[in-house]
Amino acid sequence: MDLELPGDTSLLSFPPLPFPFLLSPASSPSLPSFFPAATASAQLSSCSPPWEPQEASMASPPSTNPAHAHFESFLQAQLCQDVLNSFQGLCGALGLEPGGGLPQYHKIKAQLNYWSAKSLWAKLDKRAGQTVYQQGRACTSTKCLVVGAGPCGLRAAVELALLGARVVLVEKRTKFSRHNVLHLWPFTIHDLRALGAKKFYGRFCTGTLDHISIRQLQLLLLKVALLLGVEIHWGVTFTGVQPPPRKGSGWRAQLQPNPPTQLVNYEFDVLISAAGGKFVPEGFKVREMRGKLAIGITVNFVNRRTVEETQVPEISGVARIYNQSFFQSLLKATGIDLENIVYYKDDTHYFVMTAKKQCLLRLGVLRQDWPETDRLLGSANVVPEALQRFARAAADFATHGKLGKLEFARDAHGQPDVSAFDFTSMMRAESSARVQEKHGAHLLLGLVGDCLVEPFWPLGTGVARGFLAAFDAAWMVKRWAEGAGPLEVLAERESLYQLLSQTSPENMHRNVAQYGLDPATRYPNLNLRAVTPNQVRDLYDMLAKEPVRKKSDKTDTGRPAAGSAGTQEELLRWCQEQTAGYPGVHVTDLSSSWADGLALCALVHRLQPGLLEPSELQGMGALEATAWALKVAEHELGITPVVSAQAVVAGSDPLGLIAYLSHFHSAFKSTLHGPGPAAQASPGTSSAVLFLGKLQRTLQRTRAKENGEDAGGKKPRLEVEAETPNTEEPPVPEPGAPLTPPSQHQEAGAGDLCALCGEHLYILERLCVDGHFFHRSCFRCHTCEATLWPSGYGRHPGDGRFYCLQHLPQPDHKEDGSDGGPRSLELPTPGEINMPPGPSTHRASQEEATPVPSPSQPTRRLIRLPSPERQRLSTLNLTPDEEMEPPPKPPRSCSALARQALEGSFVGWGMPVQTPQVLVAMEEEESPCSSEEEEEDEGEEDVPLDSNVEQALLTFAKTSGTMNKYPTWRRTLLRRAKEEEMKRFCKAQAIQLRLNEIDAALRELEAEGVKLEQALRSQSSSPEQQKELWVEQLLQLVQKKNGLVAEEAELMITVQELNLEEKQWQLDQELRGYMNREETLKTAADQQAEDQVLRKLVEVVNQRDALIRFQEERRLSELASGTGAQG
């Protein structure tokens, strides 16, 4: 029978035994004043499922003590109203008044001393016994009001109650109905276990589960809060604070609609707001962090808990940024275009994904494209039926259809629980706390949860950082109660707030068992004086003064540029110094002196001797020389042009030339003025930009060859050096041979008009690709209109349009063994990436890195390797971080990841090469858990393992005589595998988030630059001093843009690493499939396919090796540069 809740989205999760006691509406005792009668009836009508079999819900085992029955019902209750009814019944049976603080907890504990209750008391007593709480007397004189019964609000209320404060909580909702699932960090799992989570919810994080639905998390925290004496009022909306009207009175809350009298008269000195991102108390300033549009879709399907459903593996996260083949298959099969997808199994089957706007428009999910996000995703523009089809098809594909018929769970309004939302905009409070004072009464205000920082959901940081903020806020209240001054309390709180956005499981204390309220137990290298009291004076409002003017809400523009361009005089003086001594070069200004191309060639030669020889310029015209200098600077120095050669020669774009030269100045101004290679010591040159440029050109040549295009003919020396060596030595032109620059037709007006839309291009808008200039907003994938990142796009030779790699049309001929994904990338060798001191040295280092046979040498024959060598080759791991395992191929299960972890201890299948030291070490690294927690895990859900992995692990345990360790090792392997999968997904999503932020920041810089340039070009009558100021401002914007572009390139290097890791894993698995077959059973086609997979695997291994060497050489270069600077 399919059980579905029409009024509440919750699905009843029946425990192994029926509820021993559950109050019906008729028998429900009257609620106390803080359980308003009207509110209770509203809760009951919305939370009691009409479809629930009454005999199941009302069944109760015989009990001689009514309080025991109420307590067991309280523990097992799975609906909000059931929790409140059973707790009210418990307090009535014990003669207690709910909401009495810690004394109430001690009275309940004293009267319930049977075995089931004792195990819970032991856990809560252990937590309350920590020194920091001072046996519940740390804040006995403190009165707190907590707004919001979300997970963070409830967690803050629990901590404040443990400190001994009187805690009153108000919540505008009357039920818990959110099915969406939260990812839990290891410390949050340990923290909730320590509060008795397993007693309230037996399935909490069993086995390898590391998530919980919001509803279940709220339920278990609500139970803890009620036991600790927190006073809770439902259906009450907080609208603001009411200052004390006179001396001697205190701060009160403004509440709606009809709060009880005792709540209206409640005076408090601490307010903790956890009411969500849409409500922030007055006085706090909020900054909006907005990136490129990203549309998230969440959906919950009914979980019937059948055997088939339990066998479907979860997807902790897969991102297109590192596994394009999965999303290409999804697009081909369903027409759905996604950026990522996550699948968790909890009370429901929960899926969350990021969809592309063009795909939603094409499939009819969105009726019309609107520039305003609110209008685009408004209910009037979303077609519910199409959205449901979209979500069901994506979920069905991701799980291979193994979930059977997908039926939507119901939301709080009885509708299918599927929604589209915008997580482009994230709000962040500029401060985490404030103090207000009036008539001598102080009020400490603190923020936690989404109203402090809205999380970026793909990173899974919401509840973890929310709990950390709750702990930090409670620590602040403790310091407040100890008598610390307001400014000192605020300074400490802001020092902790600075750490919050940087926290991750990797950079916090490893021993999660030691985590407590004291920040020193959680944060390494803690500095509580990072913010001084003098810096937080604006957060102390003594006289209700006017709020400080709000700061700019612009998106973070990234790290500062390497250096400012300075004034035009400084730039001109530097150019004169660099070009001094070259025959025929006389730089007197920043316009006409560069028209013949000689000055620009001299500048390039001074900065990197050997790239341009003076003899090569003989016989060249001004346009040829300028075009050649622009090309060399881009390909070998990483200086992207923002002005065309024709504009330089004609002198038609002086501002563009100044902006271009300022890039040289900022990148190389710290180098010596004498001759010699300057680039190696330059901190401003982005080697990542240079690397990606070479990679993109290599990729284009590779695709051209695959498409059968003619790639022959003489090439300039630069192109020859940049190309990945082939089996034949490419022709090198004579030193004095004339070089072929871009045609005049291509250069004419190239810097003024966009090559795609034909509209005017301002300097800050110019993006140079393949010698053409584009608007950054125009340079998008022709299919999905996504922004094209460096090295993440291709140009189709047929239509000449640009595409992202996922939508790049494949050649007509199909490769053997191709999976339809993009071809392996040919990475430039390390010798090509570093800026060479000269031609001879460059060639020598290149030949040293990858030897190239001379034409006289015989062509190498393909050698077939025997199986042992192939096995060893397939397991090569060249990642610099030894802990990083090859990535999962989604929807890759924990079973597959466990296979990877297990194979690290094997040479072949089931052949241990050592004692189980690897598994023992992994087990020891796991967070220590008590024997009681291990007992709780007994009987937990069994996560399915691949039969081969299961057998290999069993064999390992048997042969090493450690069968007693098998269950622990099995669990450890699965946990470690899941952690690695989530870590990888979060890394990819963090990159995607930053790329989106950079894209938004560049748009803002472009808008500012357009205004400045228009002012400069139109205000011919403006004073010269004003024009100089505008030029300096424009150059500063150019340097900011260059800094963002360099950071973007660095991120794309990491993307390449993720891609290559994924490809190696896929090829490794494919090769294993062939190797596991008997040689006598392999056909000729099998042998050929195996050879091709092996060749591809060798290519990927070489590419990863080249990338690693590039990273290492860059690191050593930076170290040498730093040492030289210190010397």
Side-chain angles (χ1 to χ4, degrees):
M1 176 181 178
D2 298 337
L3 302 182
E4 190 173 301
L5 181 59
D8 183 0
T9 58
S10 309
L11 298 179
L12 185 60
S13 176
F14 288 101
L17 297 175
F19 290 142
F21 184 84
L22 189 61
L23 294 174
S24 66
S27 61
S28 174
S30 60
L31 297 177
S33 59
F34 58 90
F35 290 155
T39 302
S41 63
Q43 278 184 294
L44 197 58
S45 63
S46 61
C47 292
S48 299
W51 43 259
E52 181 185 346
Q54 293 300 311
E55 61 271 18
S57 63
M58 297 300 296
S60 60
S63 175
T64 57
N65 189 338
H68 291 183
H70 285 296
F71 185 70
E72 290 301 319
S73 177
F74 173 75
L75 293 181
Q76 300 291 339
Q78 291 295 296
L79 295 175
C80 178
Q81 184 61 45
D82 296 339
V83 173
L84 301 178
N85 285 343
S86 56
F87 187 72
Q88 173 65 25
L90 173 64
C91 290
L94 298 178
L96 301 174
E97 187 72 19
L102 276 184
Q104 170 203 286
Y105 165 70
H106 293 299
K107 292 176 183 177
I108 294 176
K109 184 178 70 171
Q111 298 186 57
L112 292 178
N113 56 7
Y114 68 106
W115 67 271
S116 181
K118 280 184 175 181
S119 60
L120 177 59
W121 306 146
K123 285 185 171 295
L124 294 179
D125 285 346
K126 183 177 180 180
R127 177 75 186 197
Q130 294 180 7
T131 307
V132 70
Y133 300 114
Q134 301 175 18
Q135 298 181 346
R137 291 192 290 268
C139 300
T140 51
S141 301
T142 305
K143 296 180 179 179
C144 304
L145 177 67
V146 179
V147 181
C152 298
L154 287 168
R155 190 64 190 88
V158 167
E159 285 302 305
L160 294 173
L162 288 171
L163 286 167
R166 182 186 176 188
V167 185
V168 175
L169 186 148
V170 294
E171 168 58 52
K172 64 180 180 180
R173 289 184 289 260
T174 58
K175 58 185 175 182
F176 296 153
S177 59
R178 290 184 288 175
H179 283 130
N180 292 357
V181 178
L182 301 171
H183 172 69
L184 300 178
W185 290 3
F187 95 84
T188 53
I189 296 175
H190 188 276
D191 175 69
L192 291 169
R193 279 180 180 268
L195 293 177
K198 295 283 286 187
K199 300 296 180 183
F200 304 120
Y201 182 47
R203 297 182 64 251
F204 175 75
C205 289
T206 56
T208 60
L209 294 181
D210 57 359
H211 52 76
I212 187 173
S213 70
I214 298 176
R215 189 183 70 87
Q216 285 290 354
L217 181 56
Q218 287 177 286
L219 282 174
L220 68 89
L221 287 174
L222 171 64
K223 295 175 184 180
V224 176
L226 289 172
L227 287 173
L228 295 178
V230 176
E231 183 179 324
I232 302 178
H233 296 262
W234 302 92
V236 177
T237 301
F238 174 84
T239 59
V241 293
Q242 181 178 335
R246 58 189 174 276
K247 195 167 184 179
S249 58
W251 293 81
R252 298 182 182 181
Q254 297 176 355
L255 305 167
Q256 291 180 352
N258 298 305
T261 303
Q262 70 179 63
L263 185 58
V264 172
N265 296 329
Y266 176 62
E267 294 184 349
F268 49 89
D269 49 13
V270 174
L271 171 67
I272 302 297
S273 177
K278 294 184 178 180
F279 179 81
V280 179
E282 185 179 357
F284 285 91
K285 303 173 186 62
V286 177
R287 178 172 30 166
E288 180 183 14
M289 306 296 292
R290 177 170 288 277
K292 189 182 66 171
L293 175 66
I295 301 175
I297 295 176
T298 60
V299 57
N300 287 278
F301 297 104
V302 174
N303 186 354
R304 303 177 184 85
R305 305 194 186 284
T306 63
V307 175
E308 292 76 15
E309 287 174 300
T310 60
Q311 298 298 314
V312 179
E314 293 183 333
I315 305 173
S316 293
V318 53
R320 186 173 71 96
I321 204 170
Y322 65 82
N323 195 326
Q324 298 173 5
S325 60
F326 170 76
F327 293 97
Q328 284 176 326
S329 301
L330 172 65
L331 178 63
K332 184 177 180 180
T334 65
I336 293 175
D337 205 357
L338 299 180
E339 291 283 355
N340 51 47
I341 188 169
V342 174
Y343 162 51
Y344 283 147
K345 197 183 311 178
D346 208 87
D347 285 348
T348 61
H349 295 294
Y350 170 70
F351 292 83
V352 58
M353 61 201 80
T354 305
K356 294 189 176 182
K357 182 181 70 172
Q358 291 303 317
C359 171
L360 295 176
L361 289 167
R362 174 169 45 83
L363 295 179
V365 177
L366 300 178
R367 302 181 193 274
Q368 192 172 347
D369 189 5
W370 298 102
E372 304 86 2
T373 304
D374 293 341
R375 193 172 183 183
L376 178 71
L377 298 178
S379 57
N381 199 46
V382 176
V383 182
E385 297 78 12
L387 179 60
Q388 293 169 27
R389 288 194 300 269
F390 183 99
R392 182 183 278 114
D396 196 59
F397 180 88
T399 56
H400 303 291
K402 293 182 180 179
L403 289 178
K405 183 180 179 181
L406 293 171
E407 181 180 353
F408 289 98
R410 300 288 165 173
D411 62 15
H413 305 288
Q415 300 300 316
D417 194 355
V418 55
S419 61
F421 63 98
D422 166 38
F423 61 86
T424 304
S425 173
M426 291 172 289
M427 309 303 293
R428 177 186 177 89
E430 293 186 358
S431 62
S432 59
R434 295 185 64 86
V435 172
Q436 294 184 7
E437 179 185 352
K438 191 169 185 180
H439 296 308
H442 292 81
L443 175 65
L444 176 65
L445 301 96
L447 305 180
V448 299
D450 287 1
C451 66
L452 179 63
V453 180
E454 285 187 330
F456 181 61
W457 70 261
L459 297 182
T461 58
V463 69
R465 291 179 180 169
F467 275 26
L468 290 174
F471 296 154
D472 295 339
W475 175 261
M476 173 185 68
V477 175
K478 179 178 182 294
R479 297 281 291 126
W480 179 263
E482 290 172 347
L487 292 179
E488 183 181 354
V489 171
L490 291 172
E492 282 193 8
R493 180 66 188 96
E494 294 309 305
S495 297
L496 291 173
Y497 184 38
Q498 288 186 346
L499 298 175
L500 187 63
S501 61
Q502 306 169 21
T503 55
S504 68
E506 290 73 36
N507 62 18
M508 296 182 65
H509 281 308
R510 298 289 295 175
N511 185 8
V512 298
Q514 75 174 9
Y515 282 24
L517 193 62
D518 189 341
T521 63
R522 294 174 273 122
Y523 304 114
N525 306 317
L526 177 65
N527 179 14
L528 289 176
R529 293 183 174 86
V531 177
T532 64
N534 191 49
Q535 292 175 292
V536 294
R537 289 188 179 275
D538 62 318
L539 303 181
Y540 187 13
D541 187 357
M542 299 180 62
L543 301 173
K545 57 190 176 184
E546 288 295 321
V548 180
R549 186 170 59 89
K550 188 174 181 180
K551 296 180 182 178
S552 173
D553 291 345
K554 293 178 183 178
T555 308
D556 177 22
T557 55
R559 63 191 183 194
S564 173
T567 63
Q568 294 184 65
E569 291 76 11
E570 181 184 350
L571 177 60
L572 176 60
R573 185 167 54 253
W574 181 82
C575 290
Q576 290 171 338
E577 292 171 351
Q578 297 301 317
T579 57
Y582 285 89
V585 177
H586 303 285
V587 176
T588 58
D589 54 30
L590 296 175
S591 56
S592 59
S593 297
W594 305 83
D596 58 4
L598 295 179
L600 192 57
C601 291
L603 180 61
V604 173
H605 183 269
R606 173 60 59 87
L607 297 176
Q608 195 56 266
L611 292 182
L612 282 175
E613 294 297 337
S615 59
E616 295 179 346
L617 303 177
Q618 296 178 0
M620 273 192 181
L623 182 60
E624 292 176 325
T626 303
W628 182 237
L630 290 173
K631 190 173 184 181
V632 171
E634 179 184 9
H635 289 191
E636 295 300 330
L637 296 179
I639 305 294
T640 307
V642 294
V643 63
S644 65
Q646 181 148 350
V648 174
V649 173
S652 59
D653 191 6
L655 279 178
L657 178 60
I658 292 174
Y660 181 60
L661 294 174
S662 71
H663 196 175
F664 283 92
H665 177 241
S666 63
F668 298 100
K669 68 175 182 178
S670 61
T671 60
L672 298 176
H673 301 312
Q680 291 179 344
S682 171
T685 301
S686 172
S687 55
V689 172
L690 185 61
F691 175 85
L692 290 179
K694 290 178 179 288
L695 173 60
Q696 183 63 36
R697 292 188 291 275
T698 302
L699 181 63
Q700 289 174 344
R701 286 193 297 270
T702 302
R703 291 201 187 99
K705 292 177 182 178
E706 290 175 353
N707 294 337
E709 293 182 358
D710 182 16
K714 277 196 171 185
K715 299 180 183 179
R717 177 164 53 98
L718 179 70
E719 291 298 318
V720 173
E721 292 179 351
E723 187 167 350
T724 302
N726 293 319
T727 55
E728 296 183 1
E729 182 72 34
V732 180
E734 298 292 333
L739 304 173
T740 306
S743 66
Q744 294 186 21
H745 175 72
Q746 292 176 336
E747 289 294 330
D752 295 328
L753 302 178
C754 174
L756 286 175
C757 70
E759 297 294 328
H760 182 75
L761 275 170
Y762 292 91
I763 294 172
L764 265 293
E765 294 179 316
R766 295 173 189 174
L767 175 67
C768 184
V769 178
D770 297 341
H772 300 278
F773 289 92
F774 304 89
H775 288 104
R776 189 178 178 90
S777 58
C778 291
F779 191 62
R780 296 178 179 274
C781 174
H782 180 68
T783 300
C784 66
E785 296 189 1
T787 301
L788 297 177
W789 311 112
S791 82
Y793 66 89
R795 190 172 190 175
H796 191 262
D799 57 20
R801 296 190 176 103
F802 293 94
Y803 298 85
C804 65
L805 295 183
Q806 181 177 352
H807 298 112
L808 181 64
Q810 298 298 312
D812 295 335
H813 60 279
K814 189 175 180 180
E815 302 169 0
D816 296 333
S818 173
D819 59 359
R823 291 277 296 168
S824 300
L825 305 182
E826 286 187 45
L827 297 184
T829 60
E832 300 169 15
I833 300 159
N834 295 332
M835 283 153 284
S840 58
T841 310
H842 173 66
R843 290 199 185 98
S845 62
Q846 187 175 357
E847 291 170 0
E848 195 175 278
T850 52
V852 182
S854 65
S856 60
Q857 290 178 333
T859 305
R860 297 178 181 175
R861 293 186 301 121
L862 181 65
I863 301 177
R864 282 188 56 81
L865 297 177
S867 292
E869 278 90 343
R870 297 186 192 189
Q871 179 70 44
R872 285 195 291 271
L873 177 62
S874 68
T875 56
L876 282 178
N877 187 358
L878 299 174
T879 313
D881 184 0
E882 295 178 358
E883 295 182 359
M884 284 293 292
E885 295 293 331
K889 178 181 179 180
R892 195 187 307 185
S893 64
C894 281
S895 174
L897 287 165
R899 176 195 292 267
Q900 288 179 244
L902 184 61
E903 288 172 1
S905 304
F906 289 78
V907 168
W909 287 109
M911 297 173 57
V913 295
Q914 55 187 1
T915 58
Q917 296 174 350
V918 174
L919 291 174
V920 170
M922 290 173 61
E923 181 183 357
E924 290 175 350
E925 288 181 14
E926 297 291 318
S927 301
C929 59
S930 64
S931 57
E932 186 178 354
E933 288 180 354
E934 291 178 355
E935 290 175 4
E936 287 179 350
D937 279 340
E938 291 182 4
E940 64 189 18
E941 280 190 354
D942 186 41
V943 179
L945 264 180
D946 182 275
S947 59
N948 289 335
V949 177
E950 191 82 67
Q951 186 59 44
L953 188 57
L954 277 171
T955 302
F956 194 9
K958 288 178 181 178
T959 55
S960 59
T962 53
M963 276 300 293
N964 60 320
K965 291 285 187 180
Y966 168 74
T968 305
W969 285 349
R970 184 180 187 276
R971 185 167 59 246
T972 300
L973 278 173
L974 287 170
R975 283 178 179 170
R976 175 62 62 85
K978 198 159 191 175
E979 287 174 7
E980 289 300 317
E981 183 179 17
M982 190 64 193
K983 186 189 301 183
R984 179 175 175 74
F985 178 69
C986 289
K987 183 177 182 180
Q989 292 313 296
I991 293 173
Q992 187 69 58
L993 173 62
R994 185 55 189 154
L995 287 173
N996 290 344
E997 290 175 349
I998 290 174
D999 186 65
L1002 287 171
R1003 288 201 302 268
E1004 292 178 359
L1005 289 177
E1006 289 174 1
E1008 292 182 45
V1010 168
K1011 291 179 182 178
L1012 278 173
E1013 190 174 346
Q1014 287 175 341
L1016 279 167
R1017 295 183 185 276
S1018 61
Q1019 301 296 329
S1020 57
S1021 60
S1022 299
E1024 289 299 321
Q1025 187 177 2
Q1026 179 64 55
K1027 290 182 180 180
E1028 290 179 3
L1029 179 61
W1030 284 341
V1031 171
E1032 290 177 16
Q1033 291 175 350
L1034 182 66
L1035 296 183
Q1036 289 174 2
L1037 294 179
V1038 169
Q1039 298 314 311
K1040 287 183 180 180
K1041 175 184 176 181
N1042 292 338
L1044 287 171
V1045 170
E1047 183 184 357
E1048 184 182 60
E1050 296 283 354
L1051 293 173
M1052 293 310 300
I1053 293 289
T1054 308
V1055 170
Q1056 291 297 331
E1057 291 179 289
L1058 294 173
N1059 271 321
L1060 289 174
E1061 289 172 6
E1062 179 67 24
K1063 288 178 182 178
Q1064 181 175 343
W1065 186 88
Q1066 293 178 9
L1067 292 169
D1068 174 86
Q1069 295 303 106
E1070 193 173 352
L1071 183 60
R1072 288 176 186 274
Y1074 288 113
M1075 289 168 49
N1076 289 336
R1077 302 179 191 176
E1078 291 290 339
E1079 291 288 339
T1080 56
L1081 300 179
K1082 293 181 182 178
T1083 64
D1086 291 336
Q1087 296 282 5
Q1088 184 179 3
E1090 184 177 357
D1091 290 340
Q1092 186 171 14
V1093 172
L1094 181 59
R1095 284 196 300 271
K1096 290 181 179 180
L1097 182 59
V1098 172
E1099 290 176 6
V1100 171
V1101 169
N1102 287 337
Q1103 291 164 13
R1104 291 188 68 186
D1105 182 51
L1107 190 57
I1108 293 166
R1109 280 186 287 164
F1110 159 70
Q1111 299 278 37
E1112 179 64 16
E1113 290 180 11
R1114 183 173 60 174
R1115 184 184 68 84
L1116 294 175
S1117 176
E1118 291 173 353
L1119 287 175
S1121 176
T1123 304
Q1126 293 176 0

